[in-house]
Amino acid sequence: MPERLMIGTRIRERRVLSGIRQSELAKQAGISPSYLNLIEHNRRRIGGKTLLKLAQALEVEPQVLSEGAEATLISALREAAGEPGVDGPELSRIEEFAGRFPGWAGLLTDLYRRTQGLERTIETLTDRLAHDPFLADSLHEVISSVTAIRSTSSILVETEALEPEWQARFHRNINEDSARLTEGAQALVKYLEGAPNRDAEVQSPQDEMHAFLAARGYHFEELERDVAGPRDVMRLLKDEAAQAMSTPAQSLTREVLLRYLADARALPLGPFLARVRTIGLRPDRLADATGVEIAQVFRRLAALPEDEVGPVGLVICDASGTLVFRKPIDGFDMPRLAGACALWPLYQVMAQPQVPLRARVRQVGRGGEVVGALAVAGLAAPAGFDRPALMQAHMLLLPDPGEASGGVHELGVSCRICPIKDCVARREPSIIAEGF
């Protein structure tokens, strides 16, 4: 039943909670009990004056009856339901459920949000354990030290007659390996003491870079001016936020800002915004109109203020599949360290450089939101006699363009947290329990 027709259900629930008889409420509202009965069973529409009288008699705001205090619950329940299968929840009765049982509806939405939060924590922990280079190096150092100590001590125990000179050498080795083990263990403990969730602390130079860009909304007015140059990039790297970053993070940020500057020079903000307002978010047409590559249009759109063009996400990967740039958009999650889902259009275009691809995609188990994805691959650096050509793929993410743009392709975030069963692109087993 449409939500706008649930006013009667809300009136009945409020009346029962208030302990008012139907005939008494009808009298206060100036209508007959039979007409109120039809209203409460959603069989008659209710006029504005009658709604005001009923709200006054029930001592609630008219919006509570017309819109429903459960409007937020309905939205959250729809998100939790996603795209139900044959035995999924009855979406046609979701408004009735939220209206009649708001407590249960609230509990379900709270559990859904908690599950989503736990999944993201698992994702972050999995990334760190499986793909964090510092963690892998630290564990390798600890294990190597333990192995060396064990080997040396075995020689001392098992060798009955050992020359004093060799004995002293082995003792010295044990002392040095013990010191190395202590340093490695202390460094590992200090690193692991960092909060494991994605918001508490950045853990890599790339995370630091993205945190710096996100704090500015991925838009830099200083680099949009006609007179902007490399010196302005260096000034940005000297502010307090940039100085707090590690040296590798500053290096990564400098490269991104220099590319931003080149894009801003090729597509100046004012004229480019004017073309966007005329043409719309159509990267292919914008590229034709401006004479630049589609990938450069992607980057420029992702750098525009959100209040001008709305939400725009962007992800870039190199030829190895590593994500080197991530600007998120609601409804589409991106892994921080682990390899992303091989079904992403981002990777499909690698097989056909300069051939753009458009798709409507949805990440299974992430709320059921559909996102528009446009992808293209091309040269990042040309080949030379002493070096190979370097390829990059770009994928622009926009709000759902609608059914006219084609069907929806289901994909995941990364294999370790993907619930898709029997996926041909799976590289490793998922740690997410079945049941989706």
Side-chain angles (χ1 to χ4, degrees):
M1 184 177 296
E3 184 180 353
R4 59 185 175 82
L5 299 180
M6 292 298 298
I7 298 177
T9 300
R10 300 184 188 109
I11 292 173
R12 183 174 68 252
E13 294 294 332
R14 287 286 176 176
R15 178 178 62 78
V16 172
L17 289 174
S18 301
I20 303 176
R21 296 172 59 88
Q22 193 177 68
S23 57
E24 181 182 350
L25 180 60
K27 182 178 181 180
Q28 294 183 36
I31 58 178
S32 66
S34 60
Y35 185 62
L36 177 58
N37 183 66
L38 292 174
I39 290 176
E40 289 189 349
H41 286 83
N42 301 297
R43 295 177 183 175
R44 289 291 186 274
R45 292 184 178 275
I46 181 171
K49 291 183 178 180
T50 303
L51 178 63
L52 290 175
K53 291 181 179 179
L54 288 170
Q56 184 178 3
L58 294 171
E59 298 181 351
V60 297
E61 294 293 329
Q63 291 81 1
V64 174
L65 300 178
S66 61
E67 299 176 5
E70 70 279 4
T72 302
L73 287 179
I74 292 173
S75 177
L77 286 171
R78 290 188 184 279
E79 181 183 355
E83 291 292 330
V86 177
D87 299 325
E90 301 84 354
L91 291 181
S92 61
R93 304 189 66 181
I94 195 169
E95 292 89 354
E96 181 182 358
F97 176 70
R100 298 188 63 184
F101 307 104
W104 281 107
L107 177 61
L108 285 177
T109 55
D110 288 344
L111 288 175
Y112 170 72
R113 294 192 182 98
R114 183 180 179 187
T115 301
Q116 292 290 91
L118 290 173
E119 286 183 5
R120 284 168 171 76
T121 300
I122 291 174
E123 176 185 351
T124 303
L125 290 172
T126 302
D127 284 346
R128 290 185 67 184
L129 291 175
H131 300 277
D132 191 329
F134 181 85
L135 181 57
D137 290 345
S138 298
L139 288 172
H140 178 74
E141 180 70 17
V142 170
I143 293 173
S144 297
S145 300
V146 171
T147 302
I149 293 172
R150 172 60 179 159
S151 176
T152 304
S153 60
S154 296
I155 294 174
L156 289 172
V157 171
E158 296 173 2
T159 304
E160 296 182 357
L162 192 62
E163 296 180 3
E165 181 181 352
W166 281 100
Q167 191 176 39
R169 180 177 299 179
F170 285 136
H171 284 156
R172 183 169 60 252
N173 289 345
I174 290 179
N175 181 64
E176 293 174 354
D177 290 334
S178 298
R180 188 159 59 96
L181 174 61
T182 301
E183 293 175 359
Q186 289 176 344
L188 180 59
V189 170
K190 182 178 179 180
Y191 180 68
L192 291 176
E193 283 178 349
N197 63 72
R198 65 175 60 191
D199 298 321
E201 179 182 349
V202 290
Q203 298 292 340
S204 71
Q206 201 176 74
D207 285 335
E208 293 181 75
M209 176 194 75
H210 284 105
F212 175 79
L213 298 176
R216 296 291 298 269
Y218 294 85
H219 179 74
F220 295 86
E221 290 289 348
E222 299 89 336
L223 304 182
E224 299 289 353
R225 300 191 301 266
D226 294 337
V227 296
R231 290 185 177 179
D232 294 284
V233 171
M234 300 310 297
R235 291 192 187 98
L236 285 171
L237 293 173
K238 290 180 180 179
D239 70 15
E240 184 177 352
Q243 288 296 308
M245 295 190 296
S246 64
T247 301
Q250 291 182 12
S251 178
L252 291 174
T253 306
R254 181 173 62 253
E255 295 302 319
V256 170
L257 293 180
L258 287 173
R259 185 177 62 186
Y260 184 111
L261 178 63
D263 292 340
R265 286 177 172 177
L267 299 169
L269 181 61
F272 185 65
L273 265 178
R275 291 187 183 276
V276 171
R277 296 189 183 106
T278 302
I279 299 174
L281 297 179
R282 295 292 303 272
D284 52 345
R285 295 186 181 181
L286 290 169
D288 291 339
T290 54
V292 302
E293 298 288 339
I294 294 180
Q296 192 168 36
V297 174
F298 281 4
R299 296 194 299 269
R300 201 70 183 107
L301 288 174
L304 296 180
E306 187 169 323
D307 57 359
E308 293 284 354
V309 296
V312 176
L314 178 66
V315 56
I316 304 174
C317 77
D318 60 19
S320 72
T322 302
L323 305 185
V324 296
F325 183 89
R326 308 183 309 271
K327 182 189 177 186
I329 184 175
D330 288 342
F332 196 93
D333 289 343
M334 304 176 188
R336 294 172 56 205
L337 299 170
C341 174
L343 299 178
W344 285 12
L346 177 74
Y347 299 122
Q348 297 177 33
V349 295
M350 277 292 194
Q352 292 182 297
Q354 305 302 330
V355 178
L357 174 66
R358 184 200 312 269
R360 297 174 68 217
V361 300
R362 174 176 53 235
Q363 290 180 324
V364 178
R366 316 303 287 189
E369 188 167 347
V370 178
V371 174
L374 300 91
V376 68
L379 281 176
F385 289 111
D386 58 345
R387 67 181 185 276
L390 298 180
M391 298 288 295
Q392 277 191 342
H394 292 60
M395 183 169 69
L396 195 72
L397 299 167
L398 302 170
D400 181 22
E403 296 181 1
S405 300
V408 177
H409 301 275
E410 292 189 336
L411 41 76
V413 179
S414 64
C415 288
R416 291 287 283 170
I417 57 169
C418 179
I420 299 179
K421 300 178 181 178
D422 303 323
C423 179
V424 296
R426 183 172 295 285
R427 298 184 297 269
E428 55 184 331
S430 174
I431 61 176
I432 300 296
E434 295 184 0
F436 288 87

